[in-house]
Short mmCIF file of all heavy atoms in Angstrom, two decimals:
data_model
loop_
_atom_site.label_atom_id
_atom_site.label_comp_id
_atom_site.label_asym_id
_atom_site.label_seq_id
_atom_site.Cartn_x
_atom_site.Cartn_y
_atom_site.Cartn_z
N SER A 2 0.56 2.20 -0.85
CA SER A 2 1.37 3.44 -0.94
C SER A 2 1.02 4.41 0.19
O SER A 2 -0.11 4.40 0.71
CB SER A 2 1.19 4.11 -2.31
OG SER A 2 -0.16 4.48 -2.46
N PRO A 3 1.94 5.29 0.51
CA PRO A 3 1.69 6.24 1.61
C PRO A 3 0.65 7.26 1.16
O PRO A 3 0.44 7.52 -0.02
CB PRO A 3 3.05 6.92 1.83
CG PRO A 3 3.77 6.74 0.55
CD PRO A 3 3.28 5.44 -0.02
N PRO A 4 -0.03 7.91 2.11
CA PRO A 4 -1.01 8.94 1.76
C PRO A 4 -0.38 10.12 1.09
O PRO A 4 0.81 10.44 1.35
CB PRO A 4 -1.64 9.34 3.08
CG PRO A 4 -0.73 8.86 4.12
CD PRO A 4 0.06 7.75 3.56
N ARG A 5 -1.08 10.78 0.22
CA ARG A 5 -0.59 11.92 -0.53
C ARG A 5 -1.37 13.17 -0.10
O ARG A 5 -2.57 13.12 0.09
CB ARG A 5 -0.74 11.77 -2.04
CG ARG A 5 -0.11 10.48 -2.58
CD ARG A 5 1.37 10.63 -2.69
NE ARG A 5 1.90 9.41 -3.24
CZ ARG A 5 2.95 9.35 -4.00
NH1 ARG A 5 3.55 10.44 -4.36
NH2 ARG A 5 3.38 8.21 -4.48
N PHE A 6 -0.67 14.29 0.07
CA PHE A 6 -1.28 15.55 0.45
C PHE A 6 -0.86 16.63 -0.53
O PHE A 6 0.28 16.61 -1.00
CB PHE A 6 -0.83 15.91 1.87
CG PHE A 6 -1.20 14.91 2.91
CD1 PHE A 6 -0.28 13.97 3.31
CD2 PHE A 6 -2.47 14.92 3.48
CE1 PHE A 6 -0.62 13.01 4.27
CE2 PHE A 6 -2.81 13.96 4.42
CZ PHE A 6 -1.89 13.02 4.83
N ALA A 7 -1.73 17.57 -0.78
CA ALA A 7 -1.40 18.69 -1.63
C ALA A 7 -0.32 19.57 -0.96
O ALA A 7 -0.40 19.80 0.23
CB ALA A 7 -2.63 19.51 -1.92
N THR A 8 0.62 20.07 -1.75
CA THR A 8 1.66 20.93 -1.22
C THR A 8 1.44 22.37 -1.64
O THR A 8 1.95 23.30 -1.00
CB THR A 8 3.03 20.49 -1.67
OG1 THR A 8 3.06 20.48 -3.13
CG2 THR A 8 3.36 19.12 -1.13
N GLU A 9 0.73 22.57 -2.74
CA GLU A 9 0.45 23.91 -3.25
C GLU A 9 -0.67 23.82 -4.26
O GLU A 9 -0.99 22.73 -4.71
CB GLU A 9 1.70 24.52 -3.91
CG GLU A 9 2.22 23.70 -5.08
CD GLU A 9 3.55 24.18 -5.60
OE1 GLU A 9 4.46 24.36 -4.80
OE2 GLU A 9 3.67 24.35 -6.83
N VAL A 10 -1.27 24.96 -4.57
CA VAL A 10 -2.30 24.99 -5.62
C VAL A 10 -1.65 25.48 -6.89
O VAL A 10 -1.10 26.59 -6.91
CB VAL A 10 -3.48 25.90 -5.22
CG1 VAL A 10 -4.48 26.04 -6.36
CG2 VAL A 10 -4.16 25.33 -3.97
N ALA A 11 -1.68 24.70 -7.95
CA ALA A 11 -0.99 25.03 -9.19
C ALA A 11 -1.91 25.86 -10.11
O ALA A 11 -1.44 26.67 -10.88
CB ALA A 11 -0.55 23.79 -9.88
N ASP A 12 -3.23 25.61 -10.07
CA ASP A 12 -4.15 26.28 -10.96
C ASP A 12 -5.52 26.31 -10.34
O ASP A 12 -5.85 25.38 -9.60
CB ASP A 12 -4.21 25.52 -12.30
CG ASP A 12 -4.93 26.33 -13.39
OD1 ASP A 12 -5.07 27.54 -13.25
OD2 ASP A 12 -5.31 25.69 -14.36
N VAL A 13 -6.30 27.33 -10.63
CA VAL A 13 -7.66 27.48 -10.16
C VAL A 13 -8.50 27.85 -11.37
O VAL A 13 -8.14 28.73 -12.17
CB VAL A 13 -7.80 28.60 -9.09
CG1 VAL A 13 -9.25 28.73 -8.68
CG2 VAL A 13 -6.93 28.29 -7.91
N ARG A 14 -9.66 27.16 -11.45
CA ARG A 14 -10.65 27.53 -12.49
C ARG A 14 -11.96 27.79 -11.74
O ARG A 14 -12.39 26.95 -10.97
CB ARG A 14 -10.81 26.44 -13.49
CG ARG A 14 -9.50 26.24 -14.28
CD ARG A 14 -9.66 25.30 -15.43
NE ARG A 14 -8.34 25.13 -15.99
CZ ARG A 14 -8.05 24.25 -16.89
NH1 ARG A 14 -8.95 23.42 -17.29
NH2 ARG A 14 -6.83 24.15 -17.36
N ALA A 15 -12.55 28.94 -12.01
CA ALA A 15 -13.78 29.31 -11.30
C ALA A 15 -14.78 29.89 -12.27
O ALA A 15 -14.45 30.56 -13.24
CB ALA A 15 -13.45 30.32 -10.19
N ASP A 16 -16.04 29.60 -12.00
CA ASP A 16 -17.15 30.29 -12.68
C ASP A 16 -18.18 30.63 -11.64
O ASP A 16 -17.87 30.64 -10.44
CB ASP A 16 -17.71 29.42 -13.83
CG ASP A 16 -18.31 28.12 -13.40
OD1 ASP A 16 -18.72 28.00 -12.23
OD2 ASP A 16 -18.39 27.20 -14.21
N GLU A 17 -19.37 30.91 -12.05
CA GLU A 17 -20.39 31.47 -11.12
C GLU A 17 -20.67 30.57 -9.94
O GLU A 17 -20.86 31.06 -8.81
CB GLU A 17 -21.62 31.75 -11.91
CG GLU A 17 -22.66 32.52 -11.10
CD GLU A 17 -23.89 32.91 -11.92
OE1 GLU A 17 -23.89 32.69 -13.15
OE2 GLU A 17 -24.82 33.44 -11.34
N HIS A 18 -20.75 29.29 -10.14
CA HIS A 18 -21.19 28.35 -9.03
C HIS A 18 -20.19 27.19 -8.83
O HIS A 18 -20.51 26.24 -8.11
CB HIS A 18 -22.56 27.74 -9.34
CG HIS A 18 -23.62 28.81 -9.42
ND1 HIS A 18 -24.09 29.46 -8.30
CD2 HIS A 18 -24.28 29.35 -10.48
CE1 HIS A 18 -24.98 30.36 -8.67
NE2 HIS A 18 -25.13 30.31 -9.98
N ARG A 19 -19.04 27.24 -9.41
CA ARG A 19 -18.07 26.11 -9.28
C ARG A 19 -16.66 26.61 -9.23
O ARG A 19 -16.32 27.56 -9.92
CB ARG A 19 -18.25 25.13 -10.44
CG ARG A 19 -17.31 23.96 -10.42
CD ARG A 19 -17.54 23.02 -11.60
NE ARG A 19 -18.90 22.50 -11.58
CZ ARG A 19 -19.24 21.34 -11.11
NH1 ARG A 19 -18.37 20.54 -10.52
NH2 ARG A 19 -20.49 20.92 -11.18
N MET A 20 -15.84 25.97 -8.42
CA MET A 20 -14.40 26.28 -8.35
C MET A 20 -13.69 24.94 -8.37
O MET A 20 -14.00 24.02 -7.67
CB MET A 20 -14.09 27.02 -7.05
CG MET A 20 -12.65 27.33 -6.89
SD MET A 20 -12.27 28.38 -5.46
CE MET A 20 -12.84 27.32 -4.12
N THR A 21 -12.65 24.85 -9.24
CA THR A 21 -11.82 23.66 -9.33
C THR A 21 -10.40 24.03 -9.04
O THR A 21 -9.85 24.97 -9.64
CB THR A 21 -11.96 23.04 -10.75
OG1 THR A 21 -13.34 22.82 -11.05
CG2 THR A 21 -11.20 21.74 -10.83
N LEU A 22 -9.76 23.27 -8.13
CA LEU A 22 -8.35 23.52 -7.78
C LEU A 22 -7.54 22.32 -8.24
O LEU A 22 -7.96 21.14 -8.06
CB LEU A 22 -8.23 23.65 -6.25
CG LEU A 22 -9.08 24.67 -5.56
CD1 LEU A 22 -9.02 24.50 -4.07
CD2 LEU A 22 -8.66 26.08 -5.97
N PHE A 23 -6.35 22.56 -8.78
CA PHE A 23 -5.43 21.54 -9.18
C PHE A 23 -4.22 21.67 -8.34
O PHE A 23 -3.55 22.71 -8.30
CB PHE A 23 -5.06 21.68 -10.67
CG PHE A 23 -6.31 21.57 -11.56
CD1 PHE A 23 -6.94 22.73 -11.98
CD2 PHE A 23 -6.77 20.36 -11.97
CE1 PHE A 23 -8.05 22.64 -12.81
CE2 PHE A 23 -7.89 20.27 -12.78
CZ PHE A 23 -8.52 21.41 -13.19
N ALA A 24 -3.87 20.60 -7.57
CA ALA A 24 -2.83 20.69 -6.59
C ALA A 24 -1.87 19.46 -6.67
O ALA A 24 -2.28 18.32 -6.49
CB ALA A 24 -3.42 20.70 -5.19
N PRO A 25 -0.61 19.68 -6.98
CA PRO A 25 0.36 18.58 -6.99
C PRO A 25 0.72 18.18 -5.58
O PRO A 25 0.53 18.92 -4.60
CB PRO A 25 1.59 19.21 -7.68
CG PRO A 25 1.47 20.68 -7.45
CD PRO A 25 0.01 20.96 -7.34
N VAL A 26 1.25 16.96 -5.46
CA VAL A 26 1.63 16.45 -4.13
C VAL A 26 3.09 16.72 -3.79
O VAL A 26 3.55 16.28 -2.76
CB VAL A 26 1.32 14.93 -4.02
CG1 VAL A 26 -0.17 14.68 -4.14
CG2 VAL A 26 2.11 14.14 -5.03
N LYS A 27 3.80 17.41 -4.67
CA LYS A 27 5.14 17.83 -4.38
C LYS A 27 5.36 19.20 -5.01
O LYS A 27 4.62 19.62 -5.90
CB LYS A 27 6.21 16.86 -4.89
CG LYS A 27 6.25 16.73 -6.42
CD LYS A 27 7.31 15.76 -6.84
CE LYS A 27 7.45 15.79 -8.35
NZ LYS A 27 8.53 14.95 -8.84
N HIS A 28 6.32 19.97 -4.47
CA HIS A 28 6.57 21.31 -4.97
C HIS A 28 7.02 21.25 -6.43
O HIS A 28 7.88 20.45 -6.78
CB HIS A 28 7.64 22.00 -4.12
CG HIS A 28 8.02 23.35 -4.62
ND1 HIS A 28 7.12 24.40 -4.58
CD2 HIS A 28 9.15 23.81 -5.18
CE1 HIS A 28 7.73 25.47 -5.07
NE2 HIS A 28 8.94 25.14 -5.43
N VAL A 29 6.46 22.11 -7.27
CA VAL A 29 6.82 22.18 -8.68
C VAL A 29 7.80 23.35 -8.87
O VAL A 29 7.40 24.51 -8.71
CB VAL A 29 5.57 22.37 -9.54
CG1 VAL A 29 5.97 22.45 -11.03
CG2 VAL A 29 4.60 21.20 -9.36
#
Side-chain angles (χ1 to χ4, degrees):
S2 62
R5 306 283 180 146
F6 301 96
T8 57
E9 59 189 50
V10 174
D12 191 19
V13 177
R14 296 188 185 169
D16 62 25
E17 189 174 355
H18 298 287
R19 180 179 299 265
M20 178 174 62
T21 306
L22 307 169
F23 300 95
V26 297
K27 65 179 186 176
H28 178 68
V29 179

